[in-house]
Amino acid sequence: MSRSDQSLPSLGAIIRKQRELAALPMRQFAAAVGISNPYLSQIERGLRAPSDAVLNAIAESLKTTADSLYAEAGFVEPDDTSPDAGVLHAIEAAEELTTPQRRALAEIYRAFVDANAVRRARSAARS
């Protein structure tokens, strides 16, 4: 699915939909994220693109991740074919964890996988 697919909602529309599903008024949500109400309005209407820090704060307030918002908007392809997809999906779905805990756990998992790949590559180079 490419970003040029016109059936995909914009990132701002997705944020608005998620905020409305969470029954959060715009002013309350903007305050929780730490941005101004007009700035949130511009993001939701697609007039401004949020910085990574703002998008992460928005995602955390919505109890999701920035990657999930990007994937829903079609900016990135979800990689459900990788062996890590199941583990990362399970971490994302763990509602008993907070967003920062899920993010940290996913980063730790990826670090272990990367470290093992480097270790295997070094072992293969020695052989």
Side-chain angles (χ1 to χ4, degrees), residues 35-109:
I35 60 176
S36 70
N37 191 47
Y39 183 42
L40 177 60
S41 176
Q42 291 172 348
I43 291 170
E44 287 186 351
R45 290 183 289 140
L47 300 176
R48 303 247 339 240
S51 67
D52 286 341
V54 169
L55 187 61
N56 283 324
I58 287 171
E60 185 173 331
S61 294
L62 294 172
K63 299 187 183 350
T64 188
T65 64
D67 289 340
S68 295
L69 294 172
Y70 278 139
E72 192 174 341
F75 287 107
V76 293
E77 292 289 328
D79 186 11
D80 293 336
T81 60
S82 76
D84 302 336
V87 173
L88 295 173
H89 181 70
I91 291 170
E92 179 64 30
E95 293 179 5
E96 62 275 12
L97 300 175
T98 65
T99 300
Q101 289 170 333
R102 288 191 304 267
R103 189 178 306 128
L105 189 55
E107 287 175 15
I108 292 167
Y109 174 76

